[in-house]
């Protein structure tokens, strides 16, 4: 399991997202980072850069904490320039949405 999702669901989401035309939007890039970290192909968390807790990816508690960190980052992004804020906000929204789906906060896959 990856959060509350089966590994198969997450790998399907990754494959479908990866099959989209490039370049990826900042939102799609955030989704990719969330899914890749969740299945263990990234060793540090995409928002906090914390080391992954489990040997095959983050544990559910770490997924929840990272989701919460993304929500905080979305709320506190006002201190950056407009251009940097727009790109980072879209990426962070992708991270948050992907992590929220993995954690079971909503059922519809982004």
């Amino acid at each position: 399991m990856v959060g509350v999702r089966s590994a198969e669901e997450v790998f399907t989401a990754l494959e479908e997202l990866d099959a989209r035309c490039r370049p990826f939007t900042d939102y799609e890039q955030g989704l990719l980072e969330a899914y890749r970290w969740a299945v263990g192909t990234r060793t540090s968390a995409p928002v906090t850069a914390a080391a992954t807790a489990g040997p095959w990816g983050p544990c559910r508690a770490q997924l929840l904490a990272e989701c919460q960190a993304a929500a905080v980052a979305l709320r506190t992004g006002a201190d950056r320039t407009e251009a940097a804020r727009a790109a980072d906000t879209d990426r962070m929204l992708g991270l948050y949405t992907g992590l929220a789906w993995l954690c079971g906060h909503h059922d519809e896959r982004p």
Side-chain angles (χ1 to χ4, degrees), residues 1-13 38-39 101-102:
M1 295 294 290
V2 181
V4 300
R5 307 291 168 201
S6 70
E8 183 180 337
E9 281 181 282
V10 181
F11 281 110
T12 298
V39 297
W101 175 71
L102 292 167

Side-chain angles (χ1 to χ4, degrees), residues 84-101:
R85 184 172 57 237
D88 194 48
T89 298
D90 287 347
R91 179 183 154 272
M92 199 58 61
L93 184 58
L95 281 164
Y96 172 77
T97 305
L99 291 166
W101 175 71

Side-chain angles (χ1 to χ4, degrees), residues 9-91:
E9 281 181 282
V10 181
F11 281 110
T12 298
L14 261 170
E15 288 172 11
E16 289 177 7
L17 189 56
D18 198 39
R20 293 183 185 173
C21 292
R22 287 175 179 76
F24 294 117
T25 65
D26 292 321
Y27 177 82
E28 292 169 331
Q29 190 61 43
L31 286 173
L32 282 169
E33 290 177 40
Y35 297 159
R36 287 175 179 158
W37 174 66
V39 297
T41 60
R42 291 178 51 127
T43 57
S44 61
V47 180
T48 63
T52 302
W56 298 283
C59 63
R60 187 161 191 272
Q62 194 171 17
L63 283 168
L64 288 165
E66 198 68 6
C67 184
Q68 186 175 28
V72 168
L74 281 168
R75 287 192 303 268
T76 60
D79 60 344
R80 295 183 297 273
T81 66
E82 188 65 33
R85 184 172 57 237
D88 194 48
T89 298
D90 287 347
R91 179 183 154 272

